[in-house]
Amino acid sequence: MFKCNMGTVDRAVRAVVGLVLISLVFVGPQTAWGWIGLVPLATAALGFCPAYSPLGLSTCKTKTS
């Protein structure tokens, strides 16, 4: 479907940030803004960042033959 453009560290950081933001819905200020954490969590799960494509960025290591 989409070509992977995120490396392991990038995905891990996004997953942690996403979980922290979502936790704000249940603890802390308890605002609905915490649901924005679904975006980094989804990109971490997919391994694809739509913002990287137009910029030509990739943190994913390429396979060499």
Side-chain angles (χ1 to χ4, degrees):
M1 189 164 146
F2 297 111
K3 185 176 180 181
C4 179
N5 64 2
M6 291 174 43
T8 306
V9 175
D10 193 3
R11 291 175 80 171
V13 169
R14 286 173 186 256
V16 170
V17 168
L19 290 172
V20 167
L21 287 172
I22 291 171
S23 72
L24 293 177
V25 173
F26 304 104
V27 295
Q30 297 180 343
T31 65
W33 282 103
W35 290 113
I36 198 73
L38 289 174
V39 174
L41 197 59
T43 58
L46 294 173
F48 176 77
C49 178
Y52 281 2
S53 294
L55 299 174
L57 297 174
S58 177
T59 60
C60 185
K61 292 185 180 180
T62 57
K63 295 180 183 178
T64 58
S65 34

